[in-house]
Amino acid sequence: QICLSLVKLLFYLAHSPLGSIVLLDFQPRQFVMVDGNLKVTDIDDASTEELSCREDNDCTLDFPTKSFPLKCSTVGKCEGINEKKNLFNAYRYFFTYLLPHSAPPALQPFLSDILNATGDLRYGINETLKAFEKVLHLYKSGLYLQKRPLHLKDYISLKGFRMVEGEDYKCWPSYSHLGCLLSVHSAEEAAAICNSQSQCQSFIVTQRRTWTGRPLASFQSSSTDLIPDANAVVYIKRSASSGERL
């Protein structure tokens, strides 16, 4: 969410009515999330000036660990230098820390492509935004889910019950520090996740939603602590259920 919001902001800066705007003091502390969108807190260090040049050799974009040769345009300006400076700073301050942990395994190759392409400045801001929106579409639609044997058949569903919330086993990347709370596309994906975790014996797809509209599923190591809830369904591993427990 943070990276996509940042890319949308940089897209606007690259195509603003004032021209391409560069953030000269590009640091994480210069940004804040407001209602799910990243905002710049200080625009005193923003500039529309692009580096003047006479030849291509005047247009090297230097960073502490990398340098990029750019073209000198016919009007004597280094082509795209403001856009590329913003994008590489987004890569080194945000993408490298956040993208490797931001999606299910099936989507990680797409994020790796974005990471590599922006790190080498092979993508401009237009291509970067398009790539992010593709990943978001796959994520929200569930199209990233590979065809595989159905896992939900391994579970008994109990309608009208939910599990007592409390501290349980931890997982990554959980939305709760008390237990294992993950975003899923469906109960089928939740069943696949539960099967992949040795501690998991049951789960419930909650009514809570993430910023993408996907529901959160709560995974637990027990299937005994149930309470009535007319709007809920608990899924319990058949191997974990017994007449005494139910």
Side-chain angles (χ1 to χ4, degrees), residues 185-218:
H185 177 259
S186 62
E188 178 60 43
E189 184 181 15
I193 293 173
C194 189
N195 278 0
S196 70
Q197 299 175 344
S198 59
Q199 307 100 311
C200 184
Q201 297 298 318
S202 59
F203 68 87
I204 180 173
V205 181
T206 73
Q207 300 296 312
R208 285 176 282 178
R209 303 269 170 173
T210 70
W211 66 280
T212 62
R214 287 162 52 102
L216 292 174
S218 177

Side-chain angles (χ1 to χ4, degrees), residues 158-163 204 207 226-234:
L158 292 178
K159 296 182 179 180
F161 291 92
R162 63 179 172 86
M163 294 176 290
I204 180 173
Q207 300 296 312
L226 303 179
I227 56 177
D229 186 333
N231 299 316
V233 180
V234 174

Side-chain angles (χ1 to χ4, degrees), residues 41-160:
T41 60
D42 185 1
I43 60 173
D44 290 342
D45 294 310
S47 173
T48 58
E49 293 185 13
E50 292 191 304
L51 186 65
S52 298
C53 58
R54 292 184 177 180
E55 57 183 23
D56 291 349
N57 288 338
D58 297 330
C59 292
T60 301
L61 183 56
D62 289 316
F63 291 96
T65 58
K66 281 189 176 183
S67 295
F68 301 95
L70 304 180
K71 295 290 184 182
C72 182
S73 71
T74 55
V75 296
K77 298 291 183 180
C78 296
E79 289 184 356
I81 190 167
N82 287 352
E83 173 188 330
K84 293 180 184 296
K85 184 178 290 187
N86 284 341
L87 189 55
F88 190 78
N89 277 327
Y91 159 80
R92 67 183 183 134
Y93 287 119
F94 287 88
F95 297 172
T96 54
Y97 298 103
L98 300 178
L99 286 187
H101 316 290
S102 301
L107 290 178
Q108 288 295 343
F110 294 96
L111 295 184
S112 294
D113 287 344
I114 293 174
L115 197 62
N116 294 331
T118 53
D120 294 333
L121 285 184
R122 287 185 285 109
Y123 279 2
I125 191 62
N126 294 358
E127 295 85 355
T128 303
L129 179 58
K130 184 177 180 180
F132 266 101
E133 289 178 336
K134 177 183 178 180
V135 176
L136 180 62
H137 172 67
L138 294 173
Y139 185 62
K140 292 174 68 174
S141 64
L143 291 173
Y144 68 91
L145 295 170
Q146 301 172 351
K147 291 184 178 180
R148 62 184 71 181
L150 297 178
H151 295 280
L152 207 54
K153 60 180 175 55
D154 299 330
Y155 292 79
I156 295 171
S157 62
L158 292 178
K159 296 182 179 180

Side-chain angles (χ1 to χ4, degrees), residues 216-237:
L216 292 174
S218 177
F219 301 87
Q220 293 199 356
S221 59
S222 171
S223 58
T224 56
D225 298 326
L226 303 179
I227 56 177
D229 186 333
N231 299 316
V233 180
V234 174
Y235 297 88
I236 302 174
K237 277 185 179 177

Side-chain angles (χ1 to χ4, degrees), residues 162-178:
R162 63 179 172 86
M163 294 176 290
V164 176
E165 291 190 14
E167 190 167 350
D168 208 306
Y169 77 92
K170 312 296 192 299
C171 67
W172 177 261
S174 177
Y175 283 79
S176 169
H177 68 280
L178 295 176

